[in-house]
Amino acid sequence: MELDLHQAIPAEHLPSMVTSLRPGDLVIRRHEAWGALGDGRAEGRFSAHVDGMPGEVTGAMTLIADGAGSSVVIEGTVEVKIPFLGSKIEGMIVEQLVELFDAERTFTEQWLNGDHSA
């Protein structure tokens, strides 16, 4: 299974060092590809990039049966190819991705528990 997601971070939520390099909202284009579920697990790959920014996010995901539920393990790398500022921007991207994955997890848990208000 494959899916493409487009998510935006409004400019007012971005650090000034990012908006000075690329004004406006950031649109993050994500791609996920999942293999078949077998023996209580599935393997996937993901990538993400922002138009107009020299960098990318890549990694692997593993869905694992966990008792009556499941867990997802996400491992990845962030690389931004901008001299002097790349590592600072990489840190900001990692922070934003962790928040994004947490929000997706919370939404999914609520949805699965019957709360379809979001």
Side-chain angles (χ1 to χ4, degrees):
M1 173 179 81
E2 295 192 30
L3 63 133
D4 290 302
L5 304 161
H6 296 191
Q7 297 164 303
I9 301 174
E12 62 265 16
H13 295 288
L14 297 169
S16 60
M17 82 170 133
V18 173
T19 56
S20 68
L21 295 170
R22 189 193 178 286
D25 299 347
L26 289 186
V27 177
I28 302 167
R29 299 180 190 283
R30 291 173 48 195
H31 179 79
E32 291 185 15
W34 285 94
L37 181 63
D39 294 327
R41 66 187 299 129
E43 304 288 333
R45 305 274 319 148
F46 69 90
S47 62
H49 73 277
V50 174
D51 291 340
M53 292 291 284
E56 68 177 339
V57 177
T58 57
M61 304 171 290
T62 306
L63 175 67
I64 305 165
D66 185 12
S70 59
S71 297
V72 176
V73 176
I74 301 170
E75 297 176 321
T77 60
V78 175
E79 183 178 25
V80 177
K81 299 173 186 172
I82 299 174
F84 306 111
L85 293 177
S87 63
K88 288 184 181 184
I89 295 172
E90 288 170 359
M92 187 273 307
I93 291 171
V94 168
E95 183 179 303
Q96 291 293 318
L97 284 173
V98 168
E99 288 181 24
L100 175 65
F101 291 143
D102 285 345
E104 288 176 349
R105 184 197 75 241
T106 299
F107 172 83
T108 302
E109 287 173 350
Q110 290 172 343
W111 183 268
L112 292 174
N113 287 327
D115 179 359
H116 300 168
S117 62

Coordinates of all heavy atoms in Angstrom, one line a residue, residues 51-112:
D51 N 9.0 21.7 -0.9 CA 9.3 22.3 -2.1 C 10.2 23.6 -1.8 O 9.9 24.3 -0.9 CB 8.1 22.8 -2.9 CG 7.3 21.6 -3.4 OD1 7.9 20.5 -3.6 OD2 6.1 21.7 -3.7
G52 N 11.2 23.8 -2.6 CA 12.1 25.0 -2.5 C 13.1 24.9 -1.3 O 13.8 25.9 -1.1
M53 N 13.2 23.7 -0.7 CA 14.2 23.6 0.4 C 15.1 22.4 0.0 O 14.7 21.4 -0.4 CB 13.5 23.3 1.7 CG 12.7 24.4 2.3 SD 13.7 25.8 2.9 CE 14.4 25.2 4.4
P54 N 16.4 22.6 0.2 CA 17.4 21.6 -0.1 C 17.6 20.5 1.0 O 18.5 20.6 1.8 CB 18.7 22.4 -0.4 CG 18.6 23.5 0.5 CD 17.1 23.8 0.6
G55 N 16.7 19.6 1.1 CA 16.8 18.6 2.1 C 15.8 17.6 2.0 O 14.8 17.7 1.2
E56 N 15.9 16.5 2.8 CA 14.9 15.5 2.8 C 14.9 14.7 4.1 O 15.8 14.8 4.9 CB 15.1 14.5 1.6 CG 16.3 13.7 1.7 CD 16.5 12.7 0.6 OE1 15.4 12.4 -0.1 OE2 17.6 12.3 0.3
V57 N 13.8 14.0 4.3 CA 13.6 13.1 5.5 C 13.3 11.8 4.9 O 12.5 11.6 4.0 CB 12.4 13.6 6.3 CG1 12.2 12.6 7.5 CG2 12.6 15.0 6.8
T58 N 14.0 10.7 5.4 CA 13.8 9.4 4.9 C 13.9 8.4 6.1 O 14.5 8.8 7.2 CB 14.9 8.9 3.9 OG1 16.2 9.0 4.5 CG2 14.8 9.7 2.6
G59 N 13.2 7.3 6.0 CA 13.3 6.4 7.1 C 12.4 5.1 6.9 O 11.9 4.9 5.8
A60 N 12.4 4.4 8.0 CA 11.7 3.1 8.0 C 10.7 3.1 9.1 O 10.9 3.7 10.2 CB 12.6 1.9 8.1
M61 N 9.6 2.3 8.9 CA 8.5 2.2 10.0 C 8.3 0.7 10.1 O 8.3 -0.1 9.1 CB 7.3 2.9 9.6 CG 7.4 4.3 9.3 SD 6.0 5.1 8.5 CE 5.9 4.3 6.9
T62 N 8.0 0.2 11.3 CA 7.6 -1.2 11.5 C 6.4 -1.2 12.4 O 6.4 -0.6 13.5 CB 8.8 -1.9 12.3 OG1 10.0 -1.8 11.5 CG2 8.4 -3.4 12.4
L63 N 5.3 -1.8 11.9 CA 4.1 -2.0 12.6 C 4.2 -3.4 13.3 O 4.4 -4.4 12.6 CB 2.9 -1.9 11.7 CG 1.5 -2.2 12.2 CD1 1.1 -1.1 13.2 CD2 0.5 -2.3 11.1
I64 N 4.0 -3.4 14.6 CA 4.2 -4.7 15.3 C 3.0 -4.9 16.2 O 2.5 -4.0 16.9 CB 5.4 -4.5 16.3 CG1 6.7 -4.1 15.5 CG2 5.6 -5.8 17.0 CD1 7.8 -3.7 16.3
A65 N 2.4 -6.2 16.1 CA 1.3 -6.6 17.0 C 1.8 -6.5 18.4 O 3.0 -6.9 18.7 CB 0.9 -8.0 16.7
D66 N 1.0 -5.9 19.3 CA 1.4 -5.7 20.7 C 0.2 -6.0 21.6 O -0.6 -5.1 21.9 CB 1.8 -4.2 20.8 CG 2.4 -3.9 22.2 OD1 2.6 -4.8 23.0 OD2 2.5 -2.7 22.5
G67 N 0.0 -7.3 22.0 CA -1.1 -7.7 22.8 C -2.4 -7.5 22.0 O -2.6 -8.0 20.9
A68 N -3.3 -6.7 22.6 CA -4.6 -6.5 21.9 C -4.5 -5.3 21.0 O -5.5 -4.9 20.3 CB -5.7 -6.2 23.0
G69 N -3.4 -4.7 20.8 CA -3.2 -3.5 20.0 C -2.0 -3.7 19.1 O -1.7 -4.8 18.7
S70 N -1.4 -2.5 18.8 CA -0.2 -2.5 17.9 C 0.7 -1.4 18.3 O 0.2 -0.4 18.9 CB -0.6 -2.5 16.5 OG -1.3 -1.4 16.2
S71 N 1.9 -1.4 17.8 CA 2.9 -0.3 18.0 C 3.5 -0.1 16.7 O 3.7 -0.9 15.8 CB 4.0 -0.7 19.0 OG 3.4 -1.0 20.3
V72 N 4.0 1.2 16.5 CA 4.7 1.6 15.3 C 6.1 2.1 15.8 O 6.1 3.0 16.6 CB 4.0 2.6 14.4 CG1 4.8 3.0 13.3 CG2 2.6 2.1 14.0
V73 N 7.1 1.5 15.2 CA 8.5 2.0 15.5 C 8.9 2.8 14.3 O 8.9 2.3 13.1 CB 9.5 0.9 15.8 CG1 10.9 1.4 16.0 CG2 9.0 0.1 17.0
I74 N 9.4 4.1 14.5 CA 9.8 4.9 13.4 C 11.2 5.3 13.6 O 11.6 5.8 14.6 CB 8.9 6.2 13.3 CG1 7.4 5.8 13.1 CG2 9.4 7.1 12.2 CD1 6.5 7.0 13.3
E75 N 12.0 5.1 12.5 CA 13.4 5.4 12.6 C 13.7 6.2 11.3 O 13.3 5.7 10.2 CB 14.3 4.2 12.6 CG 14.1 3.4 13.9 CD 15.0 2.1 13.9 OE1 15.1 1.5 12.9 OE2 15.5 1.8 15.0
G76 N 14.4 7.3 11.4 CA 14.7 8.1 10.2 C 15.8 9.1 10.3 O 16.4 9.2 11.4
T77 N 16.1 9.7 9.2 CA 17.1 10.7 9.2 C 16.6 12.0 8.5 O 15.7 11.9 7.7 CB 18.4 10.3 8.4 OG1 18.0 10.0 7.1 CG2 19.0 9.0 9.0
V78 N 17.2 13.1 8.9 CA 16.8 14.4 8.4 C 18.1 15.0 7.9 O 19.1 15.0 8.6 CB 16.2 15.4 9.4 CG1 16.0 16.7 8.8 CG2 14.9 14.8 10.0
E79 N 18.1 15.5 6.6 CA 19.3 16.1 6.1 C 18.9 17.4 5.4 O 18.1 17.4 4.5 CB 20.0 15.2 5.1 CG 21.3 15.8 4.6 CD 22.1 14.9 3.6 OE1 21.4 14.0 3.0 OE2 23.3 15.0 3.5
V80 N 19.5 18.5 5.8 CA 19.3 19.8 5.2 C 20.6 20.3 4.7 O 21.5 20.5 5.5 CB 18.6 20.8 6.1 CG1 18.4 22.2 5.5 CG2 17.3 20.3 6.6
K81 N 20.7 20.6 3.4 CA 22.0 21.0 2.8 C 22.1 22.5 2.6 O 22.0 23.0 1.5 CB 22.2 20.3 1.4 CG 22.2 18.8 1.6 CD 22.2 18.1 0.2 CE 22.0 16.6 0.4 NZ 21.8 15.9 -0.8
I82 N 22.2 23.2 3.8 CA 22.4 24.6 3.8 C 23.6 24.9 4.7 O 23.6 24.6 5.9 CB 21.2 25.4 4.3 CG1 19.9 25.1 3.5 CG2 21.4 26.9 4.4 CD1 18.6 25.6 4.0
P83 N 24.7 25.5 4.2 CA 25.9 25.8 5.0 C 25.5 26.6 6.2 O 24.7 27.5 6.2 CB 26.8 26.6 4.0 CG 26.3 26.2 2.7 CD 24.8 25.9 2.8
F84 N 26.1 26.2 7.3 CA 26.0 26.9 8.6 C 24.6 26.8 9.3 O 24.6 26.7 10.5 CB 26.4 28.4 8.5 CG 27.7 28.6 7.9 CD1 27.8 29.2 6.7 CD2 28.9 28.2 8.6 CE1 29.1 29.4 6.1 CE2 30.1 28.5 8.0 CZ 30.2 29.0 6.7
L85 N 23.5 26.7 8.6 CA 22.2 26.7 9.2 C 21.6 25.3 9.1 O 20.6 25.0 9.8 CB 21.3 27.7 8.5 CG 21.6 29.1 8.7 CD1 20.6 30.0 7.9 CD2 21.5 29.5 10.2
G86 N 22.1 24.4 8.3 CA 21.5 23.1 8.1 C 21.2 22.3 9.3 O 20.1 21.8 9.5
S87 N 22.2 22.3 10.3 CA 22.0 21.5 11.5 C 20.9 22.1 12.4 O 20.1 21.4 13.0 CB 23.3 21.3 12.3 OG 23.8 22.6 12.7
K88 N 20.8 23.4 12.4 CA 19.7 24.1 13.2 C 18.4 23.8 12.6 O 17.4 23.5 13.3 CB 19.9 25.6 13.3 CG 21.1 26.0 14.2 CD 21.2 27.5 14.3 CE 22.4 27.8 15.2 NZ 22.5 29.2 15.4
I89 N 18.3 23.8 11.3 CA 17.0 23.5 10.6 C 16.6 22.0 10.8 O 15.5 21.7 11.0 CB 17.0 24.0 9.1 CG1 17.2 25.5 9.1 CG2 15.8 23.5 8.4 CD1 17.4 26.0 7.7
E90 N 17.6 21.2 10.7 CA 17.4 19.7 10.9 C 16.8 19.5 12.3 O 15.8 18.7 12.4 CB 18.7 18.9 10.8 CG 19.2 18.8 9.4 CD 20.6 18.3 9.3 OE1 21.2 18.0 10.3 OE2 21.1 18.1 8.1
G91 N 17.3 20.2 13.3 CA 16.8 20.0 14.6 C 15.3 20.5 14.7 O 14.5 19.8 15.4
M92 N 15.0 21.6 14.1 CA 13.6 22.1 14.1 C 12.7 21.1 13.3 O 11.6 20.8 13.8 CB 13.6 23.5 13.4 CG 12.3 24.2 13.5 SD 11.1 23.8 12.2 CE 11.9 24.1 10.7
I93 N 13.2 20.5 12.2 CA 12.4 19.6 11.5 C 12.1 18.3 12.3 O 11.0 17.8 12.4 CB 13.0 19.2 10.1 CG1 13.0 20.5 9.2 CG2 12.4 18.0 9.5 CD1 13.8 20.3 8.0
V94 N 13.1 17.8 13.0 CA 12.9 16.7 13.8 C 11.9 16.9 14.9 O 11.0 16.1 15.2 CB 14.3 16.2 14.5 CG1 14.0 15.2 15.6 CG2 15.2 15.7 13.4
E95 N 12.0 18.1 15.5 CA 11.0 18.5 16.6 C 9.6 18.5 16.0 O 8.7 18.0 16.6 CB 11.4 19.9 17.1 CG 10.5 20.4 18.3 CD 11.0 21.7 18.8 OE1 12.2 21.8 19.2 OE2 10.2 22.6 18.7
Q96 N 9.5 19.1 14.8 CA 8.1 19.2 14.2 C 7.6 17.8 13.8 O 6.4 17.6 13.9 CB 8.2 20.1 13.0 CG 8.4 21.6 13.3 CD 7.2 22.2 14.0 OE1 6.1 22.0 13.6 NE2 7.5 23.0 15.0
L97 N 8.5 17.0 13.3 CA 8.1 15.6 12.9 C 7.6 14.8 14.2 O 6.6 14.1 14.1 CB 9.2 14.9 12.2 CG 9.4 15.3 10.8 CD1 10.7 14.6 10.3 CD2 8.2 15.0 9.9
V98 N 8.3 14.9 15.3 CA 7.9 14.2 16.5 C 6.5 14.7 16.9 O 5.6 13.9 17.2 CB 8.9 14.4 17.6 CG1 8.4 13.9 19.0 CG2 10.2 13.7 17.3
E99 N 6.3 16.0 16.9 CA 5.0 16.6 17.2 C 3.9 16.1 16.2 O 2.8 15.7 16.6 CB 5.0 18.1 17.2 CG 5.7 18.7 18.4 CD 5.8 20.2 18.4 OE1 4.8 20.8 17.8 OE2 6.7 20.8 19.0
L100 N 4.2 16.0 15.0 CA 3.3 15.5 13.9 C 2.9 14.1 14.2 O 1.8 13.7 14.2 CB 3.9 15.7 12.5 CG 3.1 15.2 11.4 CD1 1.8 15.9 11.2 CD2 3.9 15.3 10.1
F101 N 3.9 13.2 14.4 CA 3.7 11.8 14.7 C 2.9 11.6 15.9 O 2.0 10.8 16.0 CB 5.0 11.0 14.7 CG 5.7 10.9 13.4 CD1 7.1 10.9 13.4 CD2 5.0 10.7 12.2 CE1 7.8 10.8 12.2 CE2 5.7 10.6 11.0 CZ 7.1 10.6 11.0
D102 N 3.1 12.4 17.0 CA 2.3 12.4 18.2 C 0.9 12.8 17.9 O -0.1 12.1 18.4 CB 2.9 13.3 19.3 CG 4.2 12.7 19.9 OD1 4.4 11.5 19.8 OD2 4.9 13.4 20.6
A103 N 0.7 13.8 17.2 CA -0.7 14.3 16.8 C -1.4 13.2 16.0 O -2.6 12.9 16.2 CB -0.7 15.6 16.1
E104 N -0.7 12.6 15.1 CA -1.3 11.5 14.3 C -1.7 10.3 15.2 O -2.8 9.7 15.0 CB -0.4 11.1 13.1 CG -0.3 12.1 12.0 CD 0.7 11.7 11.0 OE1 1.5 10.7 11.2 OE2 0.7 12.4 9.9
R105 N -0.8 10.0 16.1 CA -1.1 8.9 17.0 C -2.4 9.2 17.9 O -3.3 8.4 18.0 CB 0.1 8.6 17.9 CG -0.1 7.4 18.8 CD 0.8 7.3 20.0 NE 0.4 8.3 21.0 CZ 1.1 9.3 21.4 NH1 2.3 9.5 21.0 NH2 0.7 10.2 22.3
T106 N -2.4 10.4 18.4 CA -3.6 10.8 19.2 C -4.9 10.7 18.4 O -5.9 10.2 18.9 CB -3.3 12.2 19.8 OG1 -2.2 12.2 20.7 CG2 -4.5 12.6 20.7
F107 N -4.8 11.3 17.2 CA -6.0 11.3 16.4 C -6.5 9.8 16.1 O -7.6 9.5 16.2 CB -5.7 12.0 15.0 CG -6.8 11.8 14.0 CD1 -7.9 12.7 14.1 CD2 -6.8 10.8 13.1 CE1 -9.0 12.5 13.2 CE2 -7.8 10.7 12.2 CZ -8.9 11.5 12.2
T108 N -5.5 9.0 15.8 CA -5.8 7.6 15.5 C -6.4 6.9 16.7 O -7.4 6.2 16.5 CB -4.6 6.8 14.9 OG1 -4.1 7.5 13.8 CG2 -4.9 5.4 14.6
E109 N -5.8 7.1 17.8 CA -6.4 6.5 19.1 C -7.8 6.9 19.3 O -8.7 6.1 19.6 CB -5.5 6.8 20.3 CG -4.2 6.1 20.3 CD -3.2 6.6 21.4 OE1 -3.5 7.6 22.0 OE2 -2.2 5.9 21.6
Q110 N -8.0 8.2 19.2 CA -9.4 8.8 19.4 C -10.4 8.2 18.4 O -11.5 7.8 18.7 CB -9.4 10.3 19.4 CG -8.7 10.9 20.5 CD -8.5 12.4 20.4 OE1 -8.6 13.0 19.3 NE2 -8.2 13.1 21.5
W111 N -10.0 8.1 17.1 CA -10.8 7.6 16.1 C -11.2 6.2 16.4 O -12.4 5.8 16.3 CB -10.1 7.8 14.7 CG -11.0 7.3 13.6 CD1 -11.0 6.1 13.0 CD2 -11.9 8.1 12.9 NE1 -11.9 6.0 12.0 CE2 -12.5 7.3 11.9 CE3 -12.4 9.4 13.0 CZ2 -13.5 7.7 11.0 CZ3 -13.3 9.9 12.1 CH2 -13.9 9.0 11.1
L112 N -10.2 5.4 16.7 CA -10.4 3.9 17.0 C -11.3 3.7 18.2 O -12.0 2.7 18.3 CB -9.1 3.2 17.1 CG -8.3 3.1 15.8 CD1 -6.9 2.4 16.1 CD2 -9.0 2.3 14.8

